Amino acid sequence: MPTAPILIRCASIGDAPLLAELGARTFHDAFGPDNDPADMAQYVASAFGVETIGAELGDPAASFLLAVAQTPGGEHPVGYAKLHAGVAHAAVAGDRPLQISR
């Protein structure tokens, strides 16, 4: 079966609802089975709310990359990454560090 082409693009403020839903779903998929459901719900609500993601999208040091599958039915989100400029572990040397934070 052929796979749909994947397009990676920079997210915009209009993508906040999509990133909030995708972030909450993927975080829950990755960490939900090993954590208390009440703790998960509390964290997901605080970290992946539309307002929280919108504020992160407005941070000039942060960038979100959004991966979407292009199908005949339209674009379907399949993943994302949050990059943060200027933050580096003490062991990282360089003038312009970039961290993948999600």
Side-chain angles (χ1 to χ4, degrees):
M1 173 195 288
T3 59
I6 303 293
L7 170 72
I8 298 175
R9 64 174 174 82
C10 290
S12 68
I13 193 70
D15 292 312
L18 171 64
L19 286 167
E21 188 279 326
L22 184 59
R25 182 168 30 100
T26 56
F27 186 85
H28 188 272
D29 289 349
F31 300 106
D34 298 322
N35 288 281
D36 178 83
D39 292 342
M40 285 293 294
Q42 181 180 4
Y43 179 77
V44 166
S46 68
F48 297 103
V50 174
E51 289 181 7
T52 301
I53 299 298
E56 291 178 356
L57 282 162
D59 179 353
S63 299
F64 283 81
L65 300 177
L66 184 59
V68 293
Q70 297 181 310
T71 67
E75 291 185 348
H76 304 282
V78 295
Y80 78 101
K82 179 184 174 189
L83 309 175
H84 202 270
V87 176
H89 185 277
V92 175
D95 295 332
R96 296 175 35 187
L98 184 66
Q99 176 188 31
I100 300 173
S101 62
R102 285 193 199 134

